[in-house]
Amino acid sequence: MSDGGPEVVGLELPRDTAGFTRRECPGCQRPFKMRPGPFEARAVLRKLQAFFSFENAHEGEEGLPLWRCPYCGQRAEADAFLTPAQQTHLESVARAWANHVRYEQLAHVNRTLSVNPRPTFVAVAPEALPGPMDPEADELLRTLPMLCCGEDLKVLWDWDQPLYCPYCGSRHGGLSGRQQVQLRFIQE
Ligand SMILES: [Zn+2]
Ligand SMILES: [Zn+2]
């Protein structure tokens, strides 16, 4: 089946050494990191659909989860939180992939037209698919457990205001867990 067809690489977004993938709020543009989930594959599928229509396109209508920016609280579909570099990368992979599929279709028509002495077109081999993105750097973000959803989140180290859980939207106080416990002792 795959006689020199394209190797699909680079569809996974890079992770840092702790396994986190970078996100960026479409509103305030602040960075944070989450562990990748099934959303990634659906975001890629959606990019691909922009370049050529799938017969099974309805599978992509499942929709993407709504996430909330941990800092400013803006809600948006998950693919809006891809960083500009990730968006560009996924689009280039999708475009190259679509070109390969079209090439395979044309080449197939050419092969089956062998009875035709003068084929009216030549399928031009497309460029190779882009390689994976650069590895994700480890930078100064702190890891916070989102107890509401059982997921970890990496946020700006010096952020001392309330945070929203990106998954469920719960608002968490601006104090560390230890400070909250101390505060409760004081109040009781
Ligand atoms: Zn934001
Ligand atoms: Zn949550």
Side-chain angles (χ1 to χ4, degrees):
M1 179 67 195
S2 68
D3 52 341
E7 287 248 341
V8 179
V9 292
L11 285 180
E12 286 227 323
L13 297 177
R15 306 173 187 197
D16 66 17
T17 52
F20 286 78
T21 298
R22 174 180 291 273
R23 318 281 188 212
E24 184 179 298
C25 173
C28 67
Q29 262 119 46
R30 289 189 182 92
F32 60 102
K33 290 185 178 182
M34 293 160 76
R35 289 216 167 85
F39 138 76
E40 257 79 14
R42 269 187 274 155
V44 171
L45 186 63
R46 186 180 269 205
K47 292 277 178 221
L48 280 169
Q49 283 168 351
F51 287 96
F52 63 118
S53 50
F54 284 116
E55 282 171 24
N56 56 349
H58 56 274
E59 284 178 14
E61 287 166 21
E62 201 177 329
L64 297 171
L66 273 182
W67 283 346
R68 190 184 284 277
C69 170
Y71 310 106
C72 73
Q74 171 158 335
R75 297 207 83 177
E77 284 196 309
D79 63 352
F81 287 92
L82 295 168
T83 69
Q86 289 168 343
Q87 303 260 14
T88 304
H89 173 73
L90 291 184
E91 277 163 19
S92 68
V93 170
R95 188 182 300 112
W97 201 0
N99 286 340
H100 271 276
V101 170
R102 290 201 194 95
Y103 169 72
E104 288 299 318
Q105 288 169 341
L106 287 181
H108 177 74
V109 172
N110 255 357
R111 282 196 290 272
T112 54
L113 278 180
S114 54
V115 287
N116 183 346
R118 284 188 302 168
T120 53
F121 61 85
V122 176
V124 178
E127 289 173 23
L129 292 186
M133 291 179 74
D134 291 337
E136 182 60 49
D138 288 315
E139 72 206 280
L140 210 56
L141 297 174
R142 63 176 162 157
T143 307
L144 286 180
M146 291 286 110
L147 297 178
C148 48
C149 291
E151 295 279 352
D152 289 337
L153 182 69
K154 279 194 180 183
V155 293
L156 291 171
W157 186 263
D158 55 358
W159 185 263
D160 57 359
Q161 295 166 52
L163 279 169
Y164 298 94
C165 170
Y167 301 98
C168 71
S170 295
R171 191 168 178 273
H172 297 276
L175 302 171
S176 73
R178 196 170 161 191
Q179 285 170 315
Q180 286 174 341
V181 169
Q182 286 169 342
L183 206 64
R184 214 167 59 219
F185 278 123
I186 293 166
Q187 285 167 343
E188 281 169 3

